[in-house]
Amino acid sequence: MYLLEVLSGPLDGKTWPFEREITIGRDDALAQACLALDRYVSRRHARLQIDGGSIRLVDLRSRNGTRLGGQPVVGEVPLPFGVPFIVGRTILRVTRA
């Protein structure tokens, strides 16, 4: 079990548990982790995928991009546990629950 947590942004402190994959976005019909209050987040912005005990971060061709370590995410990249990443203007991280 994993936990997606908002570190900074309109939903500071909000968490979503997940086991397989989770989509991050502004539209709650398309995203399990809905960041509706961040207008810089696309309807379907990014996805977190489980890959054999590790996490992969995928930008879903969002308008404002996804950033990890100050760099734009292109395609899919490994996401270390506890390392913050940015979706729109929201800072998130993934930890083990």
Side-chain angles (χ1 to χ4, degrees), residues 2-80:
Y2 304 96
L3 196 64
L4 174 62
E5 176 185 12
V6 177
L7 297 178
S8 177
L11 295 173
D12 191 15
K14 174 81 174 149
T15 60
W16 295 271
F18 67 103
E19 291 183 3
R20 294 179 181 250
E21 74 175 32
I22 188 168
T23 301
I24 304 164
R26 197 180 67 240
D27 186 338
D28 65 355
L30 300 173
Q32 296 82 32
C34 183
L35 302 171
L37 299 176
D38 186 339
R39 63 187 178 124
Y40 294 92
V41 173
S42 297
R43 292 175 62 219
R44 284 182 62 247
H45 196 104
R47 179 176 298 129
L48 296 169
Q49 300 173 328
I50 308 299
D51 183 20
S54 63
I55 303 285
R56 301 204 54 85
L57 174 61
V58 182
D59 183 77
L60 299 175
R61 300 162 82 193
S62 62
R63 170 173 254 161
N64 293 306
T66 303
R67 300 184 71 79
L68 174 63
Q71 299 298 314
V73 172
V74 178
E76 63 179 63
V77 297
L79 177 65

